[in-house]
Amino acid sequence: MCGFVGFTGLREQREAILHRMADRIIHRGPDMEGYHISGDDPRTAIALGFRRLSIIDLAAGKQPMYNEDGTVVCVFNGEIYNFMDLRTELQAKGHIFKTHCDTEVIIHGYEEYGTALAAKLRGMFAFAVWDTKTNEMYGARDIFGIKPFYYYKKGKEFMFGSEIKSFLSHPNFEKELDEDMIPLYLSYEYSPDERTIFKNVFKLPGAHCFTYKNGELKVERYYKIEYKIEDDKSLEYWEDAITKEFTESVSMHQIADVEVGCFLSSGVDSS
């Protein structure tokens, strides 16, 4: 499952705060932990933490992960199903890989494609990339919003993570109930938009990416599903097309260095 935490800004006991935030989500990643702290200026300071559940490249897939010269660092939760194809494409462009982990494709993909990277990824993912050369952060969430990404933004304060509970360990997090969300939560039993039950805490919507620099956060959509009705195709055509797509999708979901399991609940959600 994995999980990450992070925050910007310069403050005392950054390392202790970061460790406490990561410990809040240890259930997401009991196999390994990793941390990155850099910057001596409030405008360029960054702290990243990670808890890992090992799936691919068990030995070398430690996070946070860096590019060759350490100027780009990434934390990532999820799986990139087309990472082998992207890896081959990036190697042809001169990028050198040190691992067989899909995380490294995000790092070199960012170096090559910048903020256009998210649209090239096929998978379930949430990630944040920090570029020390530009002091800019770039992150994204998969098109269906399978993997979680929450962030807290109030004034110059910016923190993010896989679960809101990690923010509770940050001294500058103000835990405030957003009373306007109570009717929505009681009606739907979840928050139907990017807001959450806490003030100033938001979900990065599925199919959206963001950039953060000098205290400015910009969120934008990178993918939009388009439906095209084709009435001229036969039932047999669609049966073959669905079987082909389903078989390919299952095959891509089985890429792992550990055993893969699947299940059907036999309920309405699996029909």
Side-chain angles (χ1 to χ4, degrees), residues 53-239:
L53 179 67
S54 303
I55 301 294
I56 296 175
D57 201 347
L58 308 188
K62 184 179 179 180
Q63 294 189 44
M65 188 174 287
Y66 302 83
N67 64 343
E68 298 95 321
D69 59 6
T71 57
V72 177
V73 56
C74 172
V75 286
F76 157 63
N77 168 217
E79 291 184 67
I80 307 300
Y81 301 131
N82 63 335
F83 82 97
M84 290 302 295
D85 292 336
L86 289 172
R87 177 189 173 97
T88 300
E89 180 179 311
L90 289 165
Q91 284 177 320
K93 294 178 180 292
H95 292 272
I96 299 173
F97 284 75
K98 298 179 291 185
T99 75
H100 296 283
C101 199
D102 49 354
T103 310
E104 199 170 6
V105 165
I106 295 175
I107 296 171
H108 294 299
Y110 168 76
E111 291 179 301
E112 185 67 33
Y113 306 116
T115 57
L117 168 65
K120 294 180 175 291
L121 302 177
R122 177 178 177 180
M124 52 178 182
F125 56 84
F127 67 83
V129 174
W130 178 257
D131 189 335
T132 63
K133 293 173 291 187
T134 62
N135 294 316
E136 181 175 77
M137 184 182 298
Y138 168 66
R141 192 176 179 198
D142 62 81
I143 63 174
F144 296 112
I146 298 172
K147 291 300 179 181
F149 192 111
Y150 295 95
Y151 65 91
Y152 174 77
K153 182 71 171 69
K154 184 176 182 180
K156 295 183 178 180
E157 201 65 54
F158 181 60
M159 60 189 77
F160 55 92
S162 299
E163 295 188 25
I164 299 174
K165 67 177 64 175
S166 65
F167 303 160
L168 298 173
S169 295
H170 195 290
N172 286 26
F173 175 62
E174 298 179 13
K175 186 173 63 174
E176 298 180 84
L177 175 68
D178 188 344
E179 295 182 0
D180 292 339
M181 291 300 296
I182 294 177
L184 285 172
Y185 185 81
L186 294 177
S187 298
Y188 299 105
E189 297 185 358
Y190 77 103
S191 170
D193 57 25
E194 69 274 11
R195 294 173 295 171
T196 71
I197 203 71
F198 295 100
K199 287 184 178 179
N200 303 309
V201 177
F202 303 92
K203 295 176 285 187
L204 180 66
H208 281 68
C209 62
F210 76 91
T211 56
Y212 179 85
K213 186 175 184 179
N214 294 329
E216 295 294 325
L217 177 69
K218 296 181 180 179
V219 177
E220 61 182 5
R221 177 182 285 272
Y222 69 84
Y223 182 86
K224 186 175 183 179
I225 297 176
E226 296 182 357
Y227 297 95
K228 297 180 180 179
I229 300 175
E230 300 180 53
D231 295 327
D232 58 329
K233 300 293 193 303
S234 66
L235 176 61
E236 290 75 17
Y237 171 87
W238 290 117
E239 288 177 344

Side-chain angles (χ1 to χ4, degrees), residues 17-38:
I17 294 169
L18 186 62
H19 279 249
R20 288 197 296 269
M21 291 178 71
D23 286 345
R24 287 267 188 176
I25 58 168
I26 191 173
H27 55 279
R28 297 187 68 91
D31 296 336
M32 190 180 297
E33 61 183 315
Y35 304 95
H36 168 87
I37 296 176
S38 64

